[in-house]
Amino acid sequence: MVPAGHAGALVEIGRRMDGRGWVPGSAGNLSARIDDSAIAITRSGVHKGRLTEADIMAVDYDGQALSAAQKPSAETLLHCQLYRLFPPVGAVLHGHSVAATVLSMQGPITFSNYEILKAFGFATHELDVTLPVYENDQDIARLAGFIEPLLKREPPIGYVIAGHGVYAWGSSVVHAYWRLEALEFLLSCELERRRIK
Ligand SMILES: [Zn+2]
């Protein structure tokens, strides 16, 4: 059901995210668009650093498993939402890094004048970019409903759920990882900057 290329790419990125300390315990979820009717996503409750291709399952755009025996990640609807709203999105990565978790509990996060902002397509470093922080909610359908109009208004470089973790996306699994890496770098810099202030 899930093409081997999609599954293999997500398994590899899970290892890389684990190597960076971004997916402690069974935290995080990883997905890639298969086609107009299916999305490949990590199943619920598995360690993202020790994924096998059997841990990647297919869901439809409503987050329903295409194989009855498998249970997708609890946050599947947040992935589906990004694919539905933004056709260029080919992959979505979510992790629980220390920097994203801590900074998001301190209020809004704005990145100013960082060279690496150019990784998101900006032509210059001379700007302020706000990373939206949304309140955490265990009711994922309700959280998705809250986020949707905000995402539609102005697609951000990613977003953070307060005290929880970061969502990043890109045109492919590799591109999503680049953007996640840039976002995590910004979050780490911001955490250090506030520490030495
Ligand atoms: Zn999470």
Side-chain angles (χ1 to χ4, degrees), residues 4 17 23-24 52-54 93 109 111 134:
M17 288 174 69
V23 283
T52 68
E53 294 193 10
L93 302 174
I109 303 169
F111 303 122
Y134 305 131

Side-chain angles (χ1 to χ4, degrees), residues 1 39 41 57-72 76:
M1 190 74 78
I39 295 159
I41 190 161
M57 58 179 290
V59 295
D60 65 19
Y61 278 63
D62 295 321
Q64 298 300 312
L66 296 180
S67 155
Q70 295 175 301
K71 183 169 178 274
T76 295

Side-chain angles (χ1 to χ4, degrees), residues 111-115 117-118 122-129:
F111 303 122
S112 302
N113 305 324
Y114 285 103
E115 173 70 15
L117 286 169
K118 287 158 68 181
F122 300 108
T124 174
H125 66 279
E126 293 178 303
L127 75 173
D128 298 332
V129 176

Side-chain angles (χ1 to χ4, degrees), residues 113-120 125 181-183 185-186 189:
N113 305 324
Y114 285 103
E115 173 70 15
I116 203 165
L117 286 169
K118 287 158 68 181
F120 297 93
H125 66 279
E181 193 172 46
L183 205 45
F185 176 79
L186 283 164
C189 286

Side-chain angles (χ1 to χ4, degrees), residues 3 6 45 59 106 113 120 123 150 196:
H6 287 62
V59 295
Q106 309 291 310
N113 305 324
F120 297 93
L150 303 169
I196 62 175

Side-chain angles (χ1 to χ4, degrees), residues 6-170:
H6 287 62
L10 292 175
V11 167
E12 164 64 18
I13 291 301
R15 284 201 195 101
R16 289 170 71 172
M17 288 174 69
D18 182 37
R20 307 294 289 270
W22 299 339
V23 283
S26 65
N29 27 76
L30 292 58
S31 70
R33 191 195 296 270
I34 298 174
D35 55 29
D36 289 348
S37 59
I39 295 159
I41 190 161
T42 42
R43 67 182 180 87
S44 178
V46 288
H47 196 290
K48 307 310 173 301
R50 297 193 283 278
L51 292 170
T52 68
E53 294 193 10
D55 295 322
I56 312 298
M57 58 179 290
V59 295
D60 65 19
Y61 278 63
D62 295 321
Q64 298 300 312
L66 296 180
S67 155
Q70 295 175 301
K71 183 169 178 274
S73 152
E75 292 171 42
T76 295
L77 279 180
L78 298 178
H79 291 248
C80 295
Q81 177 175 55
L82 289 163
Y83 295 116
R84 196 164 35 74
L85 291 178
F86 307 119
V89 172
V92 177
L93 302 174
H94 165 63
H96 297 187
S97 69
V98 170
T101 303
V102 171
L103 280 178
S104 63
M105 296 174 96
Q106 309 291 310
I109 303 169
T110 299
F111 303 122
S112 302
N113 305 324
Y114 285 103
E115 173 70 15
I116 203 165
L117 286 169
K118 287 158 68 181
F120 297 93
F122 300 108
T124 174
H125 66 279
E126 293 178 303
L127 75 173
D128 298 332
V129 176
T130 297
L131 183 67
V133 178
Y134 305 131
E135 282 307 310
N136 202 5
D137 190 339
Q138 298 306 318
D139 183 332
I140 297 299
R142 186 168 60 198
L143 179 57
F146 172 77
I147 292 175
E148 181 131 342
L150 303 169
L151 280 177
K152 276 186 185 163
R153 201 162 57 199
E154 189 183 0
I157 61 171
Y159 66 77
V160 184
I161 304 174
H164 177 167
V166 68
Y167 270 83
W169 50 86

